[in-house]
Amino acid sequence: MKTITNIFCLTLFLSFLWSFSQNQNLASDGKAVKTDNPLQSELDLEVDKYVKKYYEDPKAVGLSIGITIKGKDYYYNYGELEYGKQVLPNNKTIYEIGSITKTFTGILTAQAILDKKIRTEDDIRKYLPEKYPNLQYNNHPIKIIHLANHTSRITRIFPNLYERQDYIELNPFSNYSKKMFYEGLKNMKMDTLPGVKYTYSNMAVNLLGYILEDVYHESYFSLVRKYILKPLQMNNTTVSLTDADKNNIAKAHNSNREVTPYWDFSELVATGELKSNTSDMIKYIKANFAENQSNISLSHKYTFEGEEGSLGLNWFFHTTKNGNIMYEHTGGTGGSRSSLEFFPGLQSGFIILTNNLANRKILEKDLSALVEKISSK
């Protein structure tokens, strides 16, 4: 009888420990964070450990992670679609991906080069609707390649975007038209030679998007769909939420965890309008390190070496301390953050999508080291 009692107590104790471990992922407010992490493998446990640190940030709400390692895919979801609603995201949950959109613009640029629609050394004014004598410095013009690697010297944002009367701080790109963009471009002044210094520019990449639309006579998203989404079967990546599952959209949140609007890039689509989920983005990562499509392969061609690392066509490249090449891009909007990294030589990578403004940089760094370590075994 004593043995039976001891077994019962041990079973009860182990059950308690399991239940306790499932609820130890606590937010900064002390509430348990919902998750579908099975907490079984080394990868599961390490991811959970790093996510716990992420949720120490009081701004954290929802988080979805996709990891691919040598043909095997793993998905981890934490938190909520909307703060206080207790609905866990999944690998089909739609998030803003922000400036990761620019890597799609890079692939489309490569496609246009392959199709002989544009050339990397072309003066961009060849493709503009009017004369722009300001888009040169000491007779050195801005070239297509400079738009794709952030060395054009076109300013990050034009002043007429935020100086206009209908500027909305919570949705800054809304109501900003193509006409306004070209007015801002005409008033911009070059400060040094293009092609010699890196300065990140939303407006330069957006201009590249306009040029692509003009040479193909198609909208930006139709080009993305034709040359990237359909071939890769990325069926849930979009610019519009009209056809999305309304019950599986991660609401964006401000620093107080209040719902804030998705940013509207209606006429600046190439800058950061795409929305996606971890399932589609893992397909995207795998296609990028496989390089089976010539447009993807060409987008990875090195075009500039600078202090920020190396650049391709809107891709950033870094070499880790272990000597592995890593490709990456991040994104950020008013209420969402995203990070994409992959190691082509290790056939591995990851995507982080969040619906809040918590600092995911430490998580990004930890996951990068973890994925590199496990895929190097």
Side-chain angles (χ1 to χ4, degrees), residues 176-310:
Y176 187 74
S177 67
K178 191 173 183 177
K179 180 183 177 184
M180 292 176 182
F181 176 92
Y182 278 117
E183 287 172 354
L185 183 64
K186 183 160 281 189
N187 291 323
M188 196 208 73
K189 294 182 180 179
M190 298 285 291
D191 62 355
T192 191
L193 293 172
V196 298
K197 185 177 181 181
Y198 164 86
T199 305
Y200 190 85
S201 174
N202 288 306
M203 295 315 203
V205 178
N206 192 70
L207 178 57
L208 185 54
Y210 285 158
I211 290 172
L212 293 169
E213 289 182 325
D214 290 342
V215 298
Y216 278 104
H217 305 290
E218 290 187 54
S219 72
Y220 176 85
F221 185 64
S222 72
L223 294 171
V224 169
R225 188 167 47 210
K226 179 189 295 185
Y227 293 111
I228 304 174
L229 303 184
K230 283 190 174 180
L232 302 185
Q233 297 182 7
M234 295 174 65
N235 301 321
N236 300 118
T237 301
T238 185
V239 293
S240 171
L241 296 176
T242 304
D243 298 324
D245 180 355
K246 299 300 185 291
N247 296 315
N248 203 12
I249 297 171
K251 299 279 184 72
H253 295 79
N254 63 20
S255 58
N256 295 319
R257 293 191 289 199
E258 299 164 335
V259 172
T260 193
Y262 269 9
W263 276 5
D264 175 14
F265 295 88
S266 58
E267 296 198 35
L268 298 170
V269 184
T271 302
E273 176 75 351
L274 288 179
K275 301 164 183 68
S276 191
N277 56 33
T278 53
S279 179
D280 268 13
M281 293 307 294
I282 285 295
K283 292 178 183 178
Y284 186 62
I285 289 172
K286 292 166 82 170
N288 269 278
F289 62 60
E291 291 192 340
N292 291 329
Q293 290 187 193
S294 54
N295 54 7
I296 290 176
S297 178
L298 182 57
S299 77
H300 297 162
K301 182 179 178 181
Y302 282 54
T303 63
F304 183 75
E305 299 278 346
E307 294 180 2
E308 297 289 329
S310 305

Side-chain angles (χ1 to χ4, degrees), residues 66-69 100 103 107 281-291 296-297 299-300 314-320 324-329 339-351 367-368 371-372 375:
I67 297 174
T68 183
I69 298 176
I100 292 177
T103 65
I107 294 171
M281 293 307 294
I282 285 295
K283 292 178 183 178
Y284 186 62
I285 289 172
K286 292 166 82 170
N288 269 278
F289 62 60
E291 291 192 340
I296 290 176
S297 178
S299 77
H300 297 162
N314 278 321
W315 284 105
F316 292 87
F317 310 127
H318 306 279
T319 302
T320 71
N324 293 305
I325 304 299
M326 180 263 284
Y327 294 21
E328 61 90 9
H329 210 293
S339 300
L340 180 155
E341 290 187 12
F342 65 91
F343 303 90
L346 300 175
Q347 299 288 284
S348 64
F350 67 89
I351 180 74
L367 284 185
S368 184
V371 170
E372 183 183 19
S375 58

Side-chain angles (χ1 to χ4, degrees), residues 17-159:
L17 279 182
W18 182 88
S19 176
F20 183 76
S21 69
Q22 299 299 299
N23 291 289
Q24 277 306 287
N25 222 336
L26 302 179
S28 61
D29 56 9
K31 295 180 181 178
V33 177
K34 292 172 72 70
T35 183
D36 57 9
N37 188 332
L39 300 174
Q40 294 180 349
S41 69
E42 174 193 2
L43 182 63
D44 299 342
L45 296 172
E46 289 293 299
V47 167
D48 193 67
K49 178 175 71 174
Y50 299 139
V51 171
K52 284 178 181 177
K53 289 194 289 185
Y54 174 80
Y55 273 92
E56 291 174 2
D57 190 320
K59 296 184 288 294
V61 182
L63 167 71
S64 291
I65 296 170
I67 297 174
T68 183
I69 298 176
K70 296 180 178 177
K72 293 186 178 181
D73 305 334
Y74 309 87
Y75 297 97
Y76 302 97
N77 300 282
Y78 289 82
E80 305 170 89
L81 295 179
E82 181 179 351
Y83 182 64
K85 300 294 186 180
Q86 292 296 309
V87 179
L88 182 69
N90 56 46
N91 69 336
K92 299 293 186 182
T93 298
I94 297 294
Y95 292 82
E96 292 176 293
I97 67 170
S99 285
I100 292 177
T101 300
K102 293 180 174 70
T103 65
F104 290 76
T105 308
I107 294 171
L108 290 185
T109 303
Q111 184 65 50
I113 293 167
L114 293 168
D115 289 341
K116 297 183 170 30
K117 298 284 188 180
I118 59 175
R119 296 184 306 170
T120 56
E121 297 302 304
D122 282 344
D123 183 333
I124 63 171
R125 292 174 296 182
K126 174 181 177 180
Y127 303 99
L128 301 187
E130 300 177 51
K131 293 183 178 180
Y132 286 81
N134 60 315
L135 298 184
Q136 62 177 353
Y137 190 87
N138 289 348
N139 293 320
H140 289 266
I142 300 172
K143 300 176 181 179
I144 291 289
I145 194 63
H146 301 147
L147 300 180
N149 62 19
H150 298 285
T151 63
S152 68
R153 306 310 296 160
I154 291 177
T155 51
R156 183 173 186 138
I157 297 292
F158 296 150

